[in-house]
Amino acid sequence: NNAGINYRLGQSRDEQLSFGVNFQHSKLESQRIFPTVTSVDQSFFNVLPNLMWRKKLSATDNIRVFYRASTNFPSISQLQDVVSDTNSLSVNTGNPNLKQSYTHFLSGRYTYTNSKTSKSFFANLFLQTASDYISNASYFIKNDSVVNNVTVKKNSQFSKPVNLNGYKSLRTFFNYSMPL
């Protein structure tokens, strides 16, 4: 369930500001009866803010800043702790203790376009952080082991999804164009 509200300021295309917030309630449920009975029952309530600002600096250039928060939920196969041993050298399972990932995304863009000279320049910056980021942990088995009643052989790889904190990503993109 998701509900939200946004408000926009600015009557012209020269400068606009919009901000808002979404309220989200999510419930993750899973029930398994074979090979053993188990269930997943997790509930989340999130506040997801957003913001967009655009300013025309001159007839040829403008700047835009965009921010939003979002969530990413684990899939059913990531939540179920059923061991898949179809490939005996690469065994994987799910993790019923996975939490949703909460992400902050910020981007900035500067644009310069001169139609008289046909030159343009674009500069983009993207920053993303996430708490409880969903990734896979891989282990190399040194001795035969048993996981959920399944034998994992020595020298095989065992993988399962896990939540990681501290995920950060910074990307940039620049583009300059001119006629030849």
Side-chain angles (χ1 to χ4, degrees):
N1 300 314
N2 191 338
I5 187 166
N6 281 319
Y7 186 74
R8 188 178 103 183
L9 298 168
Q11 298 297 322
S12 71
R13 291 184 49 114
D14 292 346
E15 185 167 13
Q16 293 179 355
L17 174 66
S18 135
F19 54 90
V21 65
N22 284 4
F23 303 97
Q24 177 178 287
H25 177 261
S26 307
K27 189 166 179 73
L28 299 175
E29 287 183 296
S30 171
Q31 294 187 8
R32 185 185 73 213
I33 58 173
F34 182 81
T36 58
V37 176
T38 187
S39 65
V40 172
D41 188 4
Q42 298 181 24
S43 184
F44 302 98
F45 179 78
N46 297 293
V47 177
L48 306 170
N50 65 73
L51 174 109
M52 192 278 298
W53 175 68
R54 180 176 182 245
K55 171 104 174 133
K56 185 174 182 180
L57 302 173
S58 71
T60 58
D61 54 347
N62 66 65
I63 191 167
R64 179 179 180 251
V65 176
F66 177 75
Y67 165 79
R68 72 179 158 100
S70 63
T71 58
N72 182 32
F73 300 100
S75 67
I76 293 297
S77 62
Q78 289 174 318
L79 286 170
Q80 290 184 341
D81 62 349
V82 176
V83 177
S84 172
D85 63 347
T86 53
N87 178 351
S88 63
L89 295 177
S90 180
V91 178
N92 58 59
T93 187
N95 181 355
N97 297 319
L98 280 179
K99 304 272 186 256
Q100 70 175 351
S101 176
Y102 190 91
T103 302
H104 298 277
F105 178 77
L106 176 67
S107 72
R109 178 180 70 193
Y110 170 78
T111 304
Y112 168 82
T113 306
N114 188 329
S115 58
K116 292 178 183 176
T117 61
S118 298
K119 293 180 180 177
S120 65
F121 175 71
F122 303 97
N124 295 279
L125 177 71
F126 308 98
L127 174 64
Q128 183 174 338
T129 65
S131 60
D132 290 324
Y133 181 77
I134 300 170
S135 185
N136 286 320
S138 295
Y139 308 93
F140 293 95
I141 307 302
K142 293 183 180 184
N143 297 309
D144 287 356
S145 303
V146 176
V147 178
N148 291 356
N149 299 322
V150 174
T151 300
V152 181
K153 299 288 186 190
K154 177 182 175 181
N155 297 326
S156 63
Q157 179 179 331
F158 178 74
S159 301
K160 76 179 217 174
V162 294
N163 288 114
L164 301 174
N165 280 321
Y167 173 85
K168 291 179 176 62
S169 171
L170 176 64
R171 297 174 290 141
T172 60
F173 174 74
F174 301 95
N175 184 359
Y176 176 75
S177 65
M178 64 181 203
L180 294 178

